[in-house]
Amino acid sequence: MADLLTDAEFDQFRKLIYDKSGITFSATNRSILDSRLKEKLRERQIPSIADYYKLIIADDDEMKKMLDSVTTNLTRFFRNQPHFDALINYVIPHVIEEKKKTGDTTIRIWSAGCSTGEEPYTIAMILDDILKPPYKFQITASDISLKSLMVGQQGFYPDSRISGIPQNYLDRYFIKNDKGYQVKSDLMSKIKFDYHNLRNDSGVHNLDVIFCRNVLIYFDEAAQKATIDRFWDAMGKHGYLFIGHSESLFGMETKFEFLKTDWACLYQKQI
């Protein structure tokens, strides 16, 4: 099947997507953008790519739907277990030690690029399991994909999606039915799912931990740095940042310090 986009149209959409989201499309992944836009034209019954471009420029909701369609949402529960081991054994104990100095008893976490919710629910299960009174937690889970956020908000996962969850967590935090597993309402209440474009300030502040894994790889260097700087601003004095195992801040001008624990490598804000 012939390409949908001419070179000029590809450049036009590539620039628009970058300006709106920071996501970079290159010649190597042009076919992904082409196929996603073909789907949108069929779905909306729009005859030409030029007409579709006019539509998304004029309609913010259609713009969000287009950005949703070109993002990739691959995730699973307990993905990259060493990160969660570091959270349990290093990060949370250190966060609590800092909290004791101020009397603040709430641990604030942001799952940025949360996709369909497996990551924030994993974090929530862990914290609910290990935290003792008076400490509690709040999780903000955000993504640019409205479709993915709806899955997370519903908290329902078919049998094929729950692999990796320890049996004791399944029994404690999920309700089984004939179609899959439903997250229990008590755990769901501790997570706020929210649409957010990482090109913008989140409005969330004084965070203790940020997870943003396997998102920066879709950004160019300038967008990566801008995002990391916004993470710094959103954190409290001694915040911790988890990024994907294939991602790195090496070579980037950033205030974060590299931190190697016995379980995983991450980054810390030190003031």
Side-chain angles (χ1 to χ4, degrees):
M1 187 179 290
D3 287 345
L4 171 68
L5 300 169
T6 65
D7 289 347
E9 288 167 340
F10 173 61
D11 287 339
Q12 185 182 46
F13 271 89
R14 177 169 61 176
K15 182 179 186 304
L16 177 67
I17 292 166
Y18 177 77
D19 290 343
K20 294 293 184 180
S21 70
I23 296 170
T24 301
F25 278 93
S26 63
T28 56
N29 56 12
R30 174 173 175 163
S31 61
I32 297 173
L33 178 58
D34 196 278
S35 65
R36 302 286 170 82
L37 292 178
K38 280 178 183 173
E39 290 174 13
K40 295 304 291 181
L41 262 63
R42 283 196 298 270
E43 176 188 309
R44 300 289 281 112
Q45 297 183 323
I46 295 174
S48 74
I49 195 67
D51 289 333
Y52 182 61
Y53 187 85
K54 290 176 186 174
L55 174 64
I56 60 178
I57 289 295
D59 189 323
D60 285 343
D61 285 340
E62 287 294 336
M63 179 70 76
K64 288 180 180 179
K65 290 174 183 175
M66 185 274 292
L67 293 174
D68 187 340
S69 72
V70 302
T71 55
T72 302
N73 296 291
L74 297 174
T75 187
R76 65 178 182 273
F77 287 100
F78 290 88
R79 184 179 188 184
N80 195 351
Q81 181 65 44
H83 278 171
F84 299 114
D85 292 338
L87 179 71
I88 294 166
N89 295 295
Y90 185 92
V91 172
I92 295 303
H94 281 78
V95 168
I96 288 175
E97 285 304 308
E98 291 298 326
K99 296 283 183 186
K100 287 177 180 177
K101 298 175 184 177
T102 63
D104 181 9
T105 58
T106 302
I107 296 173
R108 299 169 183 86
I109 296 181
W110 180 14
S111 171
C114 70
S115 188
T116 45
E118 284 89 338
E119 179 179 88
Y121 282 124
T122 298
I123 298 167
M125 287 186 282
I126 288 170
L127 294 187
D128 189 76
D129 186 35
I130 68 172
L131 286 181
K132 307 298 183 216
Y135 296 100
K136 54 188 181 294
F137 65 93
Q138 297 173 349
I139 298 174
T140 299
S142 70
D143 204 275
I144 199 172
S145 168
L146 291 168
K147 189 164 50 181
S148 295
L149 285 171
M150 286 179 64
V151 175
Q153 285 176 326
Q154 291 165 358
F156 178 80
Y157 300 92
D159 293 351
S160 59
R161 298 283 292 277
I162 54 88
S163 62
I165 303 177
Q167 188 61 47
N168 64 318
Y169 278 11
L170 264 182
D171 296 340
R172 185 173 172 186
Y173 297 113
F174 290 81
I175 299 169
K176 177 75 171 80
N177 62 36
D178 58 352
K179 295 182 179 178
Y181 290 82
Q182 175 65 52
V183 181
K184 290 184 178 178
S185 59
D186 184 57
L187 195 72
M188 293 179 69
S189 69
K190 295 172 182 175
I191 303 173
K192 178 187 177 185
F193 286 93
D194 193 21
Y195 176 86
H196 177 63
N197 186 329
L198 287 173
R199 293 286 270 181
N200 306 319
D201 179 11
S202 68
V204 181
H205 298 289
N206 203 29
L207 292 161
D208 298 296
V209 185
I210 295 176
F211 279 78
C212 184
R213 303 187 299 170
N214 307 304
V215 175
L216 297 176
I217 52 175
Y218 298 105
F219 295 173
D220 70 0
E221 189 174 329
Q224 287 178 354
K225 185 180 187 313
T227 301
I228 292 300
D229 288 345
R230 280 190 284 271
F231 287 161
W232 173 275
D233 293 337
M235 280 185 173
K237 287 186 177 181
H238 302 282
Y240 295 86
L241 172 65
F242 288 90
I243 60 177
H245 69 276
S246 63
E247 298 168 323
S248 172
L249 304 188
F250 181 75
M252 186 186 300
E253 279 192 35
T254 172
K255 300 174 187 176
F256 281 102
E257 294 184 9
F258 179 75
L259 178 61
K260 185 175 182 180
T261 73
D262 290 341
W263 302 272
C265 296
L266 57 147
Y267 295 87
Q268 184 176 16
K269 177 176 180 176
Q270 289 277 28
I271 292 182

